[in-house]
């Protein structure tokens, strides 16, 4: 029983070593391809094409070791690309870091927050109605009533929480215009979302 277990462990270890050797070979070919492209930064598409090209240079036996089936490219490519990436980080760190930089740049661009300029309005506090969310109404100098919605915490919200603003108090409300779907009218409506409140 011990001999069988030992034999099984040796077989698993040898298979893992074979896989690692093939991934190193594949990574070397991919590094070479990426370097030959001569571009300072590689796109993910460029890298994918280099991996495909390198896979085509492997013999049938090596492809079998890493479980690559040319007829089912998409199912095995993601796993292979991860392992190739690990080996590339060791073999050609400069090429690999250029790919990483580009990916990081893409994520940074996606995560970039668009600066929203808040408008402000001054008037006398009229009321606060609580329904789906709090709606604060103020009346300006021209006796026009304006409504503002309270969705998230904002600077000055404690004035309302601690009841420090009463009817008739002069306030300045900073807000951004947001479009929300109104299920009653089945249309998008513009709401003034509060971003800050100052007691004047």
């Amino acid at each position: 029983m011990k001999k069988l277990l030992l034999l099984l462990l040796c077989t698993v270890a040898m298979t893992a070593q074979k896989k690692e050797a093939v991934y190193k070979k594949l990574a070397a070919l991919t590094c070479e391809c990426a370097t030959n492209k001569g571009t300072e930064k590689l796109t993910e598409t460029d890298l994918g094409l280099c991996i495909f090209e390198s896979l085509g240079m492997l013999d049938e036996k090596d492809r079998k070791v890493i479980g690559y089936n040319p007829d089912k490219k998409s199912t095995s490519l993601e796993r292979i690309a991860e392992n190739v990436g690990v080996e590339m980080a060791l073999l050609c760190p400069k090429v690999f870091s250029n790919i990483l930089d580009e990916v990081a740049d893409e994520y940074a661009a996606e995560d970039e927050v668009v600066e929203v300029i808040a408008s402000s309005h001054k008037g006398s506090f009229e009321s606060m109605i609580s329904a789906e969310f709090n709606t604060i109404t103020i009346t300006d100098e021209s006796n026009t009533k304006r409504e503002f919605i309270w969705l998230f915490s904002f600077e000055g919200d404690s004035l309302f929480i601690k009841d420090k603003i009463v009817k008739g108090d002069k306030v300045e409300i900073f807000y951004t215009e947001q479009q929300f779907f109104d299920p009653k009218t089945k249309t998008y409506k513009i709401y003034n979302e509060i971003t800050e409140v100052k007691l004047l």
Side-chain angles (χ1 to χ4, degrees):
M1 183 69 181
K2 284 183 182 177
K3 284 182 182 178
L4 184 66
L5 187 62
L6 191 63
L7 185 66
L8 186 66
L9 286 171
C10 285
T11 308
V12 169
M14 281 174 63
T15 306
Q17 283 178 343
K18 280 181 187 174
K19 271 188 182 180
E20 191 178 337
V22 175
Y23 280 126
K24 278 182 180 170
K25 186 177 178 180
L26 187 57
L29 290 167
T30 306
C31 284
E32 191 181 329
C33 170
T35 307
N36 290 342
K37 285 205 177 282
T39 54
E40 218 172 282
K41 284 193 176 185
L42 285 174
T43 64
E44 282 185 24
T45 308
D46 289 333
L47 180 64
L49 290 170
C50 276
I51 292 172
F52 269 126
E53 192 179 306
S54 302
L55 281 164
M57 295 164 85
L58 294 178
D59 59 33
E60 193 68 39
K61 190 181 171 186
D62 284 345
R63 285 187 210 155
K64 200 171 183 179
V65 168
I66 59 171
Y68 176 66
N69 184 347
D71 299 326
K72 296 178 181 176
K73 291 182 177 101
S74 59
T75 53
S76 53
L77 189 66
E78 192 177 327
R79 177 181 45 79
I80 289 168
E82 283 176 17
N83 288 303
V84 169
V86 170
E87 296 299 335
M88 279 181 76
L90 301 168
L91 288 172
C92 52
K94 192 177 177 185
V95 172
F96 189 72
S97 66
N98 286 345
I99 297 161
L100 283 181
D101 286 347
E102 189 190 83
V103 173
D105 290 346
E106 284 173 17
Y107 284 124
E110 284 172 18
D111 293 342
E112 196 175 291
V113 177
V114 178
E115 192 179 330
V116 178
I117 299 166
S119 303
S120 76
H121 204 76
K122 293 177 183 177
S124 301
F125 174 67
E126 193 68 38
S127 64
M128 181 167 67
I129 298 165
S130 299
E132 293 87 12
F133 39 75
N134 287 338
T135 303
I136 292 164
T137 306
I138 66 168
T139 307
D140 62 19
E141 289 174 359
S142 62
N143 216 25
T144 306
K145 288 189 178 183
R146 291 187 174 252
E147 290 184 343
F148 303 88
I149 59 167
W150 176 356
L151 295 178
F152 304 102
S153 62
F154 56 84
E155 196 175 327
D157 59 5
S158 61
L159 295 169
F160 290 110
I161 294 167
K162 295 177 180 177
D163 295 322
K164 290 191 176 179
I165 294 178
V166 293
K167 188 174 179 176
D169 281 345
K170 299 284 184 195
V171 293
E172 183 174 9
I173 295 182
F174 294 83
Y175 64 94
T176 56
E177 289 185 347
Q178 301 281 6
Q179 244 188 8
F180 296 114
F181 185 73
D182 183 355
K184 290 174 187 171
T185 60
K186 294 188 178 178
T187 57
Y188 284 94
K189 281 176 66 178
I190 293 174
Y191 291 88
N192 299 323
E193 183 198 341
I194 302 170
T195 56
E196 185 183 349
V197 168
K198 285 181 180 176
L199 187 56
L200 302 174

